[in-house]
Amino acid sequence: MGTGNSFGRVFRISTWGESHGGGVGVTLDGCPPRLQITRDEIQVDLDRRRPGQSRITTPRNEADAVEILSGVTPDDLTTGTPIAMLVRNKDQRSQDYLDNDMKVAYRPSHADATYDAKYGVRAIAGGGRSSARETIGRVAAGAIARKILTQFNGIEVLAYVSKVQDIGCEVDDDTFTMEDVDANIVRCPDEAAAEKMLARIDEIRKAGNSIGGVVTCVARNVPAGLGSPVFDKLEADLAKACMSIPAAKGFESGDGFEGTLLSGKDHNDEFYIDPETGATRTKTNRSGGIQGGISNGENVVIHVAFKPTSTIGQVQQTVTREGTEVELRGKGRHDPCVLPRAVPMVEAMVALTICDALMLQQAQCELFPNEASLDSRPNPMGTTAVREGGPNKNVEVSDKPISQRVDEE
């Protein structure tokens, strides 16, 4: 596939297609054989992403019905060979772009101008490859990654809208469910906050404008050890994955920028031994489940900021391809707020990243079993880890602080 259209190293996807072309899709390579996966399981995630769901999403009417072209047997088993999936475009209206000024003028803050500067040619209708319709392939492949993660360690990847402009929410990241998220059209599991968010989105939508915010994603039951320092740290891979989503403009891992307001004493996640499992755990999770670029077995928590949709129904100043200053009012069908449909997109990219990291960990560090004695191995870490024989009761613990002199550079 072309430069910039593939993601992942072992569990690898290449997406293709354009918003107003014949269809969009993905080729997934590296999927393990003998995984039971049905078309309906993939369709669940695509239905959460598709347009036309509510008054606060684009009214484009697409069923987004997935076709599995290869890599899966008639009785729904993966073969280990590339899986190709296609979703055909049915309701594209290219005239919305071609029969007005948008065919010659660049939409402010849209990819129109930069794609033209890079390639020297424009796919005017629907924004071509820069359209969020490209993410269909990611979500389809993400559904397969989700199935792998669930079967391997009961890993859950769930996202929700945590902020619309300045309106935040209160959500317990340990307990919320997908049903809680999908209970309202905003996709915020805090019902009171969701009502305020919806009112703000409606206010902006009726004015022909758009609005942005933040999606939070939580991955539960992720085992310790995923991520490869120094350049392939887990949060670095997650950042690239999520920042590749259309309209994404910011990324935080754990406490992120808020953590800069704390001292080391306040920010550090102190360790303790789980009295039931004997595993090493952290009392808090300001690190967002990642330390030193490697998962520590706690919830992986990230936040992705999305800007307001570029195409709006208000008049803006812009220029044409020929370099003439003009005014432009956006036409076509667009989301006044990308956040509700960004939720399954973020889930997909996080699932793909963790699945890829899991396979890399298995290939490098777990190819040969650790046959050292129990006392010579590091104590198991994380929410799903269990120490053989229970907590270690043979270690004397001093009631005095351990003195430490560290010269790291």
Side-chain angles (χ1 to χ4, degrees), residues 94-167:
S94 298
Q95 66 273 16
D96 287 349
Y97 297 81
L98 301 177
D99 294 343
N100 57 66
D101 292 338
M102 286 202 296
K103 70 179 178 181
V104 294
Y106 298 131
R107 286 169 285 178
S109 287
H110 196 276
D112 291 341
T114 50
Y115 266 62
D116 205 1
K118 178 175 178 64
Y119 299 110
V121 62
R122 283 187 66 191
I124 299 169
R129 191 83 178 123
S130 69
S131 167
R133 194 141 183 83
E134 174 272 330
T135 63
I136 282 175
R138 310 178 191 216
V139 173
I144 297 177
R146 189 195 294 275
K147 183 70 177 283
I148 293 170
L149 296 175
T150 300
Q151 290 199 2
F152 178 79
N153 201 49
I155 299 171
E156 291 182 291
V157 179
L158 298 172
Y160 62 94
V161 175
S162 54
K163 203 168 190 179
V164 171
Q165 276 190 338
D166 59 338
I167 304 173

Side-chain angles (χ1 to χ4, degrees), residues 70-83:
S70 67
V72 180
T73 67
D75 53 348
D76 302 323
L77 280 179
T78 59
T79 62
T81 57
I83 299 173

Side-chain angles (χ1 to χ4, degrees), residues 160-162 168-169 171 180-182 184-191 193-194 197:
Y160 62 94
V161 175
S162 54
C169 64
V171 175
D180 295 333
V181 173
D182 290 345
N184 57 71
I185 61 176
V186 179
R187 290 212 164 103
C188 174
D190 180 342
E191 285 291 342
M197 293 174 179

Side-chain angles (χ1 to χ4, degrees), residues 282-353:
T282 62
K283 294 180 180 179
T284 53
N285 191 26
R286 298 186 185 94
S287 302
I290 304 171
Q291 295 171 334
I294 302 170
S295 62
N296 66 2
E298 304 295 332
N299 287 349
V300 172
V301 183
I302 64 163
H303 311 278
V304 187
F306 288 88
K307 71 182 181 72
T309 315
S310 299
T311 308
I312 60 174
Q314 296 189 9
V315 174
Q316 299 180 90
Q317 300 296 316
T318 187
V319 299
T320 66
R321 195 170 194 257
E322 292 73 28
T324 303
E325 293 183 345
V326 295
E327 289 186 340
L328 176 69
R329 186 194 301 272
K331 301 289 198 306
R333 298 164 294 174
H334 306 278
D335 296 86
C337 179
V338 302
L339 296 170
R341 295 207 299 139
V343 164
M345 299 177 197
V346 173
E347 289 177 352
M349 293 311 297
V350 170
L352 289 167
T353 303

